[in-house]
Amino acid sequence: MKRKNRQESFVDALRGKKIPILTLDNKWYKLLTPEARRQVSSLEHHLNYLLKRQGKLNTETKEIRKLKKQLMNEIMPLVDEADQNPNSLLDKKIEQNRRLLEECNEKLESYQNELTELPDKIDDVNIRLMLITMDCCYETMKESTQEIKDIADWVARTRVELKKKLIKKQEMEQRNHAIYSYMHDLFGAEVLDMFDLQYNPEEQHPGLPGEGNKKTEKKTEEKDSGKKGAEA
């Protein structure tokens, strides 16, 4: 699928969906390869900036409203006192509080306007980040799928080759055992030195055909010899 067609398909898939804030989701970070992280770096930082800005404005709005309430609680008694006892200091204090109230109102209005716009900005950047993420994940899965297939093929070939090698190994062990058994019957234990053998096939591979019968025969012979000795 071409990238343009993929993007159109991704946009359609996201339509009407509530996308969580990606940079606040630990699972999102685990999806991205180092290369993908570099691709989304700019949008990631921008989204985090908007989120921090939103948090800061909310915090400062609460603080300004608290200050505004305090100023209003102070100004009313000052106005009453100034009406009864005109005083330049009181007038100055009242004027100062009014000026601070105006500043509070201006900031609250400015912050409120920005806070109203921020959710849409955050959603827009978050969706753009999601689209790039989907594209990166598509490429990652495409590459991984091909590599998985290659590994599966290699495993299958290796299993067949391993089976062949095991069969060949067993056949050679059986052949060596047969040769050793024949030569041992003719020359005895000296066959190990004669053939410069580094190991005894019967000792190394006790499960090979023939050895069990030899051991049984040997035990039978020893048993019979014991009986004959007793009878004598």
Side-chain angles (χ1 to χ4, degrees):
M1 185 187 296
K2 294 182 179 179
R3 191 172 187 280
K4 182 179 179 181
N5 293 336
R6 289 206 308 267
Q7 286 294 309
E8 292 175 353
S9 176
F10 295 158
V11 169
D12 289 340
L14 292 177
R15 190 169 287 115
K17 298 290 193 307
K18 180 63 177 176
I19 309 299
I21 302 299
L22 299 182
T23 57
L24 300 180
D25 187 354
N26 287 330
K27 292 180 180 179
W28 175 74
Y29 287 98
K30 295 178 181 179
L31 293 177
L32 303 177
T33 62
E35 182 181 353
R37 285 297 303 275
R38 288 191 291 271
Q39 291 185 43
V40 304
S41 173
S42 179
L43 282 176
E44 177 187 356
H45 292 153
H46 186 40
L47 180 57
N48 284 335
Y49 164 76
L50 292 176
L51 291 171
K52 289 178 181 177
R53 179 63 179 167
Q54 186 180 50
K56 182 179 179 180
L57 290 177
N58 282 325
T59 299
E60 291 189 3
T61 296
K62 291 179 181 178
E63 292 176 354
I64 292 172
R65 284 175 176 166
K66 184 178 179 181
L67 175 60
K68 180 181 176 181
K69 183 178 180 181
Q70 180 182 338
L71 291 171
M72 291 182 68
N73 289 337
E74 289 178 359
I75 200 171
M76 294 305 296
L78 289 174
V79 170
D80 292 340
E81 185 177 350
D83 287 342
Q84 295 175 5
N85 301 301
N87 187 307
S88 60
L89 291 177
L90 287 175
D91 292 340
K92 186 177 180 180
K93 180 62 176 175
I94 292 170
E95 183 60 30
Q96 182 182 2
N97 280 21
R98 283 175 175 169
R99 179 175 56 79
L100 289 174
L101 280 171
E102 289 178 3
E103 291 179 2
C104 287
N105 289 331
E106 289 175 0
K107 283 187 178 181
L108 285 174
E109 184 179 0
S110 174
Y111 286 1
Q112 189 57 47
N113 290 337
E114 191 172 354
L115 283 169
T116 302
E117 296 173 354
L118 272 174
D120 289 338
K121 290 182 178 180
I122 290 172
D123 284 344
D124 178 64
V125 176
N126 195 51
I127 289 174
R128 286 159 58 196
L129 185 58
M130 186 73 238
L131 288 172
I132 295 180
T133 298
M134 293 169 76
D135 198 57
C136 290
C137 289
Y138 176 90
E139 293 294 340
T140 298
M141 291 183 69
K142 184 178 179 182
E143 292 174 6
S144 297
T145 299
Q146 182 58 49
E147 190 168 354
I148 289 169
K149 182 179 181 301
D150 293 341
I151 293 174
D153 292 342
W154 177 85
V155 170
R157 291 194 305 271
T158 303
R159 281 176 177 167
V160 172
E161 188 65 23
L162 177 62
K163 187 175 181 180
K164 290 179 180 178
K165 293 288 186 184
L166 289 173
I167 292 173
K168 185 177 181 180
K169 174 177 177 287
Q170 186 177 24
E171 290 173 348
M172 289 189 294
E173 287 174 344
Q174 289 175 347
R175 187 180 299 115
N176 277 1
H177 184 269
I179 293 173
Y180 173 82
S181 296
Y182 178 78
M183 292 298 178
H184 186 277
D185 290 343
L186 290 178
F187 303 106
E190 291 81 1
V191 70
L192 290 171
D193 296 328
M194 290 173 56
F195 282 78
D196 193 24
L197 297 177
Q198 301 299 316
Y199 70 98
N200 185 331
E202 290 185 349
E203 292 177 353
Q204 295 294 326
H205 305 285
L208 288 173
E211 185 189 355
N213 293 335
K214 283 190 174 184
K215 288 184 177 179
T216 302
E217 291 173 2
K218 185 176 180 181
K219 288 181 179 179
T220 302
E221 290 176 359
E222 292 176 349
K223 187 176 181 181
D224 290 343
S225 298
K227 284 184 178 179
K228 288 179 181 180
E231 291 174 356

